Amino acid sequence: MIRDHFRILSVDLAAGRGVIENLQGRDTVAGGSGLAAMLFEKYGRPGQPWDDPEQPLIFAIGPLTGYFPLMSKTVCAFKSPYHDQYAESHGGGRSALSLRFADFDGLVIRGKAPTPSCLSIGSRHLDLKDVHYLWGMDLLKTGKMLRRMYKGSGHRSILRIGPAGENLSAMACINVDTYRHFGRLGCGAVMGAKNLKGIVIMGDGTFPLPEGKDYPRLFAEVHRKMTDTDMMEKYHNVGTPINMAVLNGIRALPIRNLQKTTDPAMEGISGETFARDTLLRNAACAGCPVGCIHIGFVRERFMEENRYLYRQVSYDHEPIFAAGAMLQVTDAFSVLSLLDAVEREGLDVMSAGVALAWATEALEKGVLSTRETLLPFQFGDAKAYIEAVHHLGAASNDFYRLLAQGTSRAAGHYGGGDFACVLGQEMAGYATGEVFFISQALGFRHSHLDAGGYSYDQKSKEPDVDGAVKFLVQDERARVLLTSMVSCLFARGVYGEEILSDCLRSVGYTNLAEGIGRVAGTIQKLRWRARLATGFDPCAVSIPQRFLEIETWKGKLDEAYLAALKTAYGAAILGIAGGEGESDH
Ligand code: SF4
């Protein structure tokens, strides 16, 4: 039997104890993004800084987690060190299924552990272990140690941070089961501020599947849609890196700190090149038949011993854009080596790559000197960037400490704001035009996944402020529904509102299934309300000059269109947050 309430484990790190709370709201906020916003309303302290020990670090899964394919993500919510506002980051791996097997809809972590610690939870236990000996250890070695310390079955999920999180970098990620991440907006620093090196979720319980014929029939249909359509092929074969050549071909790939949008040298780091030369294997999040995770190899030679060490490194479009195109590193193996270095530090690769691209141009222009950067790095110099990544993770000096708080902050201090490629946070790998830039700059997560602005740009050539804003609002609403279930967004072509409604009904969430459209609006509003309560002001967002200088296949960027979009989308966001009557829960 499914529950009509949320079962939440609320942990107090200072006391080393937890309580289970049963909260109402399933029919109004569903789970995932909706549940996280509801939990932040309950536990968050909007007026207090992000590193106040009482700020919650929230993990939430959805009503369909464990029941249907690709319902494999967890929503992590927190007050972000990047902008001190409410934020979400999404990750997969085994985290969602482990929470489901541990019988929790959500995990709320408050307080600060007295010493560097690892929290382990399961259906029948909670344990906070002193792991001071792991503090300072790189993220990959930490993973090895935690796997040895916490033996478990396939339903064990390990979340951990690297030195960047310990150093409270606003670019610190939380790594999930090695190849997935809660990547953006600095949730790794929230763990660091709480003295948490790791979180181990033991999925050591069971959950019953619905009885009757409806559920297995629907499951088979959804599974067939996932595996029989071209989705499987598209994401499994070359995967998201296929975008590298496509965007380069239409002059929409950010290259060399967005000085260019196309370059024949990108052939060296195209998805096809990675697949041909570096790909070892594919992997998948738990509960996913697609397996979009591409794992390549890097080879390191130990001269004295005349032997080689092979390391496995995952890659996607975004990491290749950030560690490759933005830094003009055009050799696939060099990009993988750089990604490996970023992973060890526990940095968000998009922010780290874009920040270093800004620093390189600042060095070229004399805005910075090697007194700050410690290294004379240049575009294309992968070896120097590997060292720089270490400095960024370790916050080696005042410059790297400030850069780790965000490129805009460093540019605010040293200069060079005009060419800081920041849209709310360091940009994602699309230079498709006005709608995407506004979508990322104002979007809730400052992510290319908030709404499909990049695809809108590619489909519509003529400026249309009303049409674009309507699209962004509606697309966000549809995605928020998915991130409340919590589905991988790669499945958005399959999980339309009708199928989601059927899925909910088949597992017993009849009320939620009936009100799904209304619920999507409620969640959208709830999230924006939490964001605004923590200080977000769409009018204060500015778009750096560099974005106005680019040329895409459509020609020069239309500055007037960009400004009109910004005003109209900002007003729409304020309208969503202030709208009447849908957020009571
Ligand atoms: S498609 Fe990729 S990211 Fe999405 S659930 Fe499957 S393996 Fe994970």
Side-chain angles (χ1 to χ4, degrees):
M1 272 296 288
I2 52 106
R3 287 188 293 263
D4 62 355
H5 59 266
F6 296 114
R7 191 166 186 268
I8 307 296
L9 176 62
S10 174
V11 177
D12 176 356
L13 290 174
R17 281 200 299 269
V19 291
I20 292 169
E21 302 196 47
N22 294 326
L23 301 178
Q24 298 304 315
R26 177 69 84 187
D27 294 342
T28 44
V29 302
S33 290
L35 172 58
M38 186 186 105
L39 291 171
F40 188 79
E41 253 193 5
K42 179 174 165 63
Y43 296 106
R45 306 200 166 187
Q48 298 298 109
W50 70 273
D51 56 351
D52 182 307
E54 286 310 306
Q55 293 288 10
L57 176 62
I58 297 165
F59 297 93
I61 58 171
L64 298 178
T65 303
Y67 291 106
F68 284 94
L70 273 83
M71 291 292 170
S72 40
K73 298 278 175 174
T74 303
V75 172
C76 174
F78 50 100
K79 201 162 187 240
S80 164
Y82 200 92
H83 48 36
D84 210 21
Q85 295 164 18
Y86 177 65
E88 274 181 21
S89 186
H90 301 176
R94 291 184 295 274
S95 58
L97 211 58
S98 297
L99 277 170
R100 167 63 69 232
F101 274 102
D103 201 19
F104 299 119
D105 299 299
L107 168 65
V108 178
I109 303 172
R110 288 181 295 157
K112 179 175 182 178
T115 59
S117 301
C118 181
L119 172 70
S120 163
I121 61 155
S123 63
R124 290 177 295 277
H125 82 277
L126 183 157
D127 166 55
L128 190 67
K129 207 192 280 287
D130 181 330
V131 294
H132 65 275
Y133 45 87
L134 299 183
W135 209 247
M137 191 178 277
D138 85 39
L139 187 140
L140 297 179
K141 283 191 194 132
T142 302
K144 246 184 224 168
M145 292 292 288
L146 292 178
R147 283 192 293 276
R148 274 186 211 149
M149 288 162 60
Y150 295 90
K151 303 272 184 219
S153 70
H155 296 141
R156 176 198 61 186
S157 181
I158 297 181
L159 283 53
R160 76 256 197 194
I161 60 169
E166 298 170 15
N167 293 322
L168 310 185
S169 163
M171 298 177 183
C173 72
I174 299 175
N175 176 290
V176 192
D177 302 321
T178 305
Y179 297 125
R180 298 284 89 182
H181 309 84
F182 295 104
R184 311 221 70 189
L185 291 171
C187 48
V190 180
M191 274 183 68
K194 292 187 173 303
N195 251 342
L196 260 189
K197 183 72 173 170
I199 302 170
V200 179
I201 306 165
M202 295 288 193
D204 51 4
T206 57
F207 66 98
L209 292 177
E211 289 172 1
K213 291 187 181 151
D214 288 352
Y215 168 72
R217 196 182 310 122
L218 190 56
F219 181 96
E221 188 189 324
V222 170
H223 192 276
R224 187 188 54 72
K225 281 194 174 145
M226 301 283 180
T227 51
D228 283 4
T229 58
D230 73 339
M231 192 179 86
M232 174 79 129
E233 240 179 337
K234 186 166 85 185
Y235 291 124
H236 183 85
N237 291 354
V238 179
T240 57
I242 204 161
N243 288 336
M244 289 294 294
V246 173
L247 293 170
N248 193 41
I250 60 166
R251 297 165 74 196
L253 182 65
I255 298 168
R256 204 181 167 98
N257 200 36
L258 196 54
Q259 291 171 5
K260 304 192 266 187
T261 49
T262 190
D263 185 337
M266 292 303 119
E267 168 65 23
I269 52 172
S270 71
E272 291 79 355
T273 302
F274 270 86
R276 188 191 61 223
D277 298 344
T278 76
L279 181 62
L280 264 185
R281 64 188 176 95
N282 283 64
C285 299
C288 172
V290 175
C292 80
I293 305 171
H294 289 70
I295 299 172
F297 69 93
V298 285
R299 195 170 77 152
E300 198 178 330
R301 185 170 184 189
F302 292 90
M303 295 302 277
E304 323 77 56
E305 301 162 50
N306 199 23
R307 68 187 176 92
Y308 293 98
L309 177 74
Y310 289 84
R311 279 202 297 273
Q312 302 188 32
V313 184
S314 66
Y315 64 84
D316 271 307
H317 168 69
E318 302 299 341
I320 298 173
F321 135 75
M326 272 305 250
L327 297 174
Q328 192 81 39
V329 174
T330 55
D331 167 65
F333 287 106
S334 299
V335 170
L336 287 178
S337 296
L338 196 42
L339 294 181
D340 186 54
V342 171
E343 195 74 86
R344 283 171 193 281
E345 297 301 325
L347 284 160
D348 164 44
V349 64
M350 274 191 260
S351 286
V354 173
L356 289 177
W358 168 81
T360 311
E361 189 170 336
L363 206 47
E364 273 182 352
K365 292 193 154 113
V367 173
L368 295 174
S369 71
T370 50
R371 255 198 325 274
E372 286 86 29
T373 61
L374 305 176
L375 300 157
F377 44 72
Q378 296 174 343
F379 284 115
D381 186 352
K383 277 200 179 128
Y385 285 132
I386 287 172
E387 269 191 73
V389 160
H390 174 66
H391 288 307
L392 189 59
S396 294
N397 63 7
D398 287 345
F399 165 69
Y400 284 104
R401 199 167 301 115
L402 195 56
L403 188 60
Q405 297 310 311
T407 308
S408 296
R409 288 209 201 166
H413 182 81
Y414 294 99
D418 283 359
F419 53 88
C421 296
V422 174
L423 296 166
Q425 66 179 327
E426 284 72 18
M427 76 178 299
Y430 306 84
T432 52
E434 298 84 352
V435 179
F436 173 67
F437 294 158
I438 292 304
S439 171
Q440 192 189 336
L442 271 72
F444 183 85
R445 293 198 279 148
H446 299 306
S447 164
H448 56 294
L449 296 169
D450 277 319
Y454 51 87
S455 64
Y456 189 94
D457 276 328
Q458 290 174 62
K459 282 179 199 143
S460 53
K461 200 157 187 275
E462 296 308 316
D464 175 7
V465 175
D466 291 346
V469 170
K470 194 168 167 210
F471 168 81
L472 292 178
V473 169
Q474 287 180 349
D475 199 38
E476 184 205 40
R477 182 177 298 212
R479 287 171 186 238
V480 154
L481 188 60
L482 285 168
T483 63
S484 296
M485 292 297 134
V486 179
S487 165
C488 172
L489 286 174
F490 289 164
R492 60 188 181 273
V494 173
Y495 285 127
E497 225 172 81
E498 206 175 317
I499 289 216
L500 283 178
S501 196
D502 290 345
C503 292
L504 287 167
R505 209 171 285 109
S506 78
V507 297
Y509 292 113
T510 313
N511 292 341
L512 185 54
E514 303 302 327
I516 202 167
R518 177 180 43 80
V519 168
T522 301
I523 299 166
Q524 192 180 25
K525 175 181 172 177
L526 197 59
R527 287 203 324 161
W528 277 116
R529 209 168 66 181
R531 186 73 198 279
L532 264 58
T534 51
F536 179 59
D537 175 8
C539 303
V541 174
S542 62
I543 309 288
Q545 182 64 26
R546 175 57 44 87
F547 293 96
L548 311 178
E549 294 164 355
I550 68 153
E551 262 192 61
T552 70
W553 79 102
K554 287 194 279 190
K556 289 291 280 180
L557 199 97
D558 183 338
E559 205 172 329
Y561 182 35
L562 190 87
L565 274 173
K566 181 171 157 303
T567 306
Y569 190 38
I573 287 169
L574 294 176
I576 294 167
E580 293 288 318
E582 283 187 313
S583 73
D584 304 317
H585 55 84

